[in-house]
Amino acid sequence: MLRLLRLNKRVYAPLVSSFFLVAGISSALASTLDEDRTRGDIHGLFEIRDAAVKFIAAENLKNGTRWQAMKPNRKILVARCAVSLHVKWVPKSHGLSGQNVAVSCDQTVNPTTQKKWEVFVPIDKGPMAHK
């Protein structure tokens, strides 16, 4: 019985990896970020960016800034989130080359593949104001 359990663990990891590989290929087939929406067990980058856009819009209203959320890395693949997404500024101590916000999920729909995740979305200062 113990040997069967070990075999199942050995078989399970490659199966999970192959699932994300196939899902990653389907994500790569989306020609635009607008087409990369949440489906099945995968959380779409469109919704992740949308959460960042809403966060930045609130920050702009509060601070009188013109920040813009850019596109997250299209190679990122994360499990579908079961709870609301959280967005916060990434501290400069993380060593990223520019301003970013972190969009995070505290609990995924299928925690056996991925329990939680965090995706960084780059932020641009936006258009300069004309004087």
Side-chain angles (χ1 to χ4, degrees), residues 1-30:
M1 180 75 172
L2 185 59
R3 187 174 188 168
L4 181 60
L5 185 60
R6 283 187 201 153
L7 179 61
N8 285 341
K9 285 183 180 179
R10 289 182 190 159
V11 171
Y12 181 72
L15 284 176
V16 170
S17 298
S18 63
F19 165 75
F20 279 104
L21 178 61
V22 169
I25 291 169
S26 68
S27 182
L29 293 176

Side-chain angles (χ1 to χ4, degrees), residues 90-124:
V90 176
K92 292 185 184 211
S93 63
H94 274 60
L96 298 174
S97 60
Q99 287 281 52
N100 281 259
V101 293
V103 180
S104 61
C105 170
D106 293 332
Q107 178 184 349
T108 62
V109 171
N110 188 356
T112 57
T113 57
Q114 187 177 29
K115 293 182 194 288
K116 59 184 181 175
W117 50 258
E118 185 172 63
V119 174
F120 294 157
V121 178
I123 304 300
D124 186 47

Side-chain angles (χ1 to χ4, degrees), residues 13-69:
L15 284 176
V16 170
S17 298
S18 63
F19 165 75
F20 279 104
L21 178 61
V22 169
I25 291 169
S26 68
S27 182
L29 293 176
S31 61
T32 67
L33 189 65
D34 290 340
E35 294 174 5
D36 192 358
R37 304 227 179 200
T38 299
R39 68 232 172 259
D41 285 340
I42 306 300
H43 208 96
L45 292 177
F46 175 86
E47 287 85 359
I48 292 170
R49 181 177 181 270
D50 189 52
V53 166
K54 289 175 182 172
F55 175 82
I56 291 301
E59 289 290 296
N60 285 339
L61 276 175
K62 183 171 72 175
N63 301 317
T65 53
R66 293 181 178 216
W67 296 103
Q68 293 179 337

